[in-house]
Amino acid sequence: PAPRPTRSTAPERPVRPLPTTLPAGLHRTTGVRAVALTFDDGPDPVWTPKVLDRLRAAGVPATFCVVGTQVRRHPQLVRRIVREGHQLCNHSWHHDMDLGRRPVGQIRADLVRTNKAIQAAAPGAKVPFYRQPGGRWTPEVVAVAEQLGMRSLHWTVDPQDWGKPTAAKITERVYVAARPGAVVLLHDGGGDRGATLTACPGMITDLKHRYGITKLR
């Protein structure tokens, strides 16, 4: 009998090696004494509204680094973020940790697709920043973001709330690591953010008292 044909797929293109050091051009400070709060991986229908409630109660701004697939699912939350005076940051289409290592054309298509979803959700909204998932930056992704009018937003304080520490541990880590001009990394999406939410009031009160909380510039 004739041999049965086998299906073959083209091998996936290898990604570039990850640099051993962070590339130049990352935005890592507010430039003033006050610190900035950033929230990643949303918008999430459970946690983002609660985070927004906390921010509104405290009267402070934040930057929301939004994932394109989540923007498409929950456009009303993007509109609320903008309506309540917060900033937006492109966080890739589906949180691809290796995006910065992929071909430049693929990077550009991903960031453009995410920005288009943001604009569809909130027409005219500004997207001044891009944040690479996992902080796995490459010169290529920094360059593409710049070409699209976005600064590459890193951070200086990471309480690792994604690892599900207690609210007390999140608060302690932020307290110890915060300095004037710090950019604090937190999460409003990607899983159960109950501990982050619980930590917000005390953490925000402390940061407001010691440094003030500001928008990014």
Side-chain angles (χ1 to χ4, degrees):
R4 297 180 62 184
T6 58
R7 295 181 61 187
S8 62
T9 57
E12 187 172 338
R13 293 182 63 177
V15 295
R16 288 182 299 277
L18 194 67
T20 56
T21 58
L22 290 174
L26 299 184
H27 195 63
R28 303 181 68 178
T29 177
T30 63
V32 295
R33 179 173 177 79
V35 305
L37 301 176
T38 65
F39 291 90
D40 283 17
D41 299 354
D44 181 274
V46 174
W47 302 110
T48 302
K50 295 177 181 179
V51 168
L52 287 166
D53 289 345
R54 295 287 194 277
L55 296 171
R56 183 169 55 188
V60 297
T63 300
F64 286 82
C65 300
V66 295
V67 175
T69 53
Q70 291 295 103
V71 168
R72 185 173 61 182
R73 292 187 188 105
H74 310 291
Q76 75 284 359
L77 293 177
V78 179
R79 289 191 289 272
R80 180 178 170 188
I81 289 168
V82 174
R83 186 170 65 248
E84 297 190 3
H86 304 291
Q87 293 174 303
L88 292 172
C89 170
N90 182 321
H91 197 35
S92 83
W93 181 251
H94 58 81
H95 204 269
D96 181 0
M97 301 274 277
D98 286 324
L99 180 62
R101 303 166 65 195
R102 301 193 189 282
V104 169
Q106 191 172 336
I107 296 173
R108 175 180 290 273
D110 187 294
L111 270 57
V112 167
R113 185 182 188 187
T114 304
N115 278 347
K116 285 183 177 179
I118 293 170
Q119 290 301 317
K126 294 181 180 179
V127 188
F129 301 103
Y130 171 73
R131 174 173 280 170
Q132 170 61 28
R136 301 180 71 174
W137 295 100
T138 63
E140 290 81 3
V141 76
V142 172
V144 170
E146 183 177 9
Q147 291 162 11
L148 296 174
M150 298 181 290
R151 285 176 287 171
S152 292
L153 177 61
H154 198 57
W155 57 82
T156 52
V157 178
D158 178 10
Q160 299 184 358
D161 63 337
W162 46 265
K164 306 296 174 62
T166 64
K169 181 59 69 173
I170 294 171
T171 301
E172 176 190 357
R173 289 172 178 172
V174 173
Y175 179 85
V176 170
R179 300 288 185 274
V183 177
V184 182
L185 170 64
L186 298 162
H187 292 80
D188 66 319
D192 185 336
R193 300 305 175 200
T196 301
L197 188 72
T198 300
C200 275
M203 178 179 60
I204 290 172
T205 297
D206 171 67
L207 292 173
K208 281 180 70 175
H209 174 73
R210 288 198 288 160
Y211 307 112
I213 295 175
T214 187
K215 284 186 176 182
L216 288 161
R217 292 171 174 81

